[in-house]
Amino acid sequence: MASFEEEERLVQMVHDFIEPSSPPPPTTTITSSSSSPHPSLHQLEAIIGSSTDGEMEVLQRVVKHLSEMGSEKTRSSNCVKKKRLMMKLRMDGYDASLCRSSWVSTLDCPSGDYEYIDIVMVGGSTSKRLIVDIDFKSQFELVRPTRAYTELSNTLPNIFVGNEEKLNRVISLLCSAAQLSLKERGLHVPPWRKATYMKSKWLSCCQKSLLLCGFQVKEMVKMPNKGLGGGGGGGGGACFSGLSSQFSELSINCC
């Protein structure tokens, strides 16, 4: 009986993390188009809802571990939380790594860096890369969003677990909607709100690190750049596959 109640609580926690606890507050609209649902809303809901059994299993583990860690709000504690979560996922038997992406500045995209977790899932003769981000929804927040964009962004889960193709489609939809929202508000579209910059967070060259026997192992993973310049395409997920990466650096640092 106790195990059944524990499983029921876990399912409820997963639901709470995916779904917002309360409807978003109403926003003042300035155009008639802002008051209507975003045309991509149903498409985004379908993408988010197309989770595999493996993705749902990982999500349940992530929610369980985060619940045990408690709620830590600061930026520094969030970094520690990601490292602890990666270690717990490895203890669960997953091939999890802490990834830090970084990219140089170009004419269309300013430089930046980002940190998330990835898991290599192996099934038979194939394997795929799952991206785990515990701070996903906040990456798409806008200043003075239209009501349509607010409705769209509220569809995003707080915790994202999915493959690169799924993530690529979500980014393309949200960035297109963000540009439309900013233009409707009469605001400039900054380069860090474009798809090229957002995709660089999760789909560019990254340094993967994990803890083995008290040592921190780091490896630099280079991913092909094809597709990072496209802002509207929904495909191209294979272009970012970490499974076809080339390893250029392998170092071991004592923790």
Side-chain angles (χ1 to χ4, degrees):
M1 183 66 178
S3 60
F4 176 78
E5 293 177 351
E6 182 179 349
E7 181 178 348
E8 190 176 49
R9 286 197 301 270
L10 179 58
V11 171
Q12 184 60 44
M13 283 192 295
V14 172
H15 180 272
D16 292 341
F17 268 87
I18 297 178
E19 300 292 340
S21 56
S22 59
T27 56
T28 304
T29 58
I30 58 175
T31 63
S32 58
S33 61
S34 299
S35 60
S36 58
H38 196 280
S40 299
L41 179 61
H42 295 308
Q43 186 179 358
L44 180 61
E45 289 175 339
I47 296 173
I48 296 298
S50 61
S51 297
T52 64
D53 292 340
E55 291 170 355
M56 289 303 299
E57 179 182 309
V58 171
L59 177 60
Q60 290 181 5
R61 297 276 187 170
V62 170
V63 172
K64 178 178 180 292
H65 293 320
L66 290 177
S67 178
E68 292 171 350
M69 292 179 200
S71 57
E72 301 175 7
K73 301 296 184 181
T74 64
R75 180 181 176 87
S76 58
S77 66
N78 203 37
C79 294
V80 174
K81 188 186 297 184
K82 291 175 184 177
K83 181 179 290 188
R84 291 173 59 193
L85 176 60
M86 179 270 290
M87 295 171 62
K88 286 180 177 291
L89 288 172
R90 291 193 67 84
M91 292 174 65
D92 289 336
Y94 293 106
D95 184 6
S97 303
L98 189 64
C99 298
R100 175 172 288 276
S101 60
S102 60
W103 57 96
V104 298
S105 179
T106 64
L107 292 176
D108 300 324
C109 179
S111 61
D113 59 79
Y114 194 68
E115 193 173 62
Y116 60 95
I117 296 171
D118 83 344
I119 297 176
V120 177
M121 304 285 285
V122 179
S125 59
T126 62
S127 56
K128 64 178 180 179
R129 179 175 182 248
L130 287 187
I131 294 171
V132 179
D133 193 329
I134 63 175
D135 195 27
F136 185 71
K137 186 176 181 178
S138 66
Q139 304 306 311
F140 297 89
E141 293 177 351
L142 284 185
V143 176
R144 294 176 55 200
T146 60
R147 182 175 180 178
Y149 182 81
T150 299
E151 185 177 17
L152 192 68
S153 61
N154 279 335
T155 306
L156 294 173
N158 294 311
I159 301 173
F160 178 86
V161 177
N163 60 33
E164 293 168 319
E165 181 180 0
K166 181 177 181 178
L167 177 60
N168 189 37
R169 295 173 65 192
V170 171
I171 294 173
S172 296
L173 278 178
L174 265 294
C175 287
S176 295
Q179 293 183 45
L180 180 61
S181 175
L182 290 167
K183 289 178 180 178
E184 286 190 15
R185 293 301 196 195
L187 300 174
H188 171 69
V189 180
W192 54 87
R193 282 301 170 205
K194 296 181 179 179
T196 303
Y197 184 89
M198 295 299 289
K199 290 179 181 180
S200 295
K201 291 185 176 184
W202 300 278
L203 304 174
S204 62
C205 177
C206 68
Q207 185 182 64
K208 300 177 68 171
S209 63
L210 52 94
L211 295 178
L212 292 176
C213 302
F215 291 90
Q216 185 175 23
V217 180
K218 296 182 179 181
E219 59 186 9
M220 186 65 73
V221 179
K222 288 187 176 181
M223 300 182 186
N225 291 326
K226 293 185 298 180
L228 281 180
C239 294
F240 310 110
S241 176
L243 303 176
S244 60
S245 306
Q246 296 178 345
F247 301 101
S248 62
E249 177 183 342
L250 179 62
S251 61
I252 300 179
N253 299 327
C254 185
C255 296

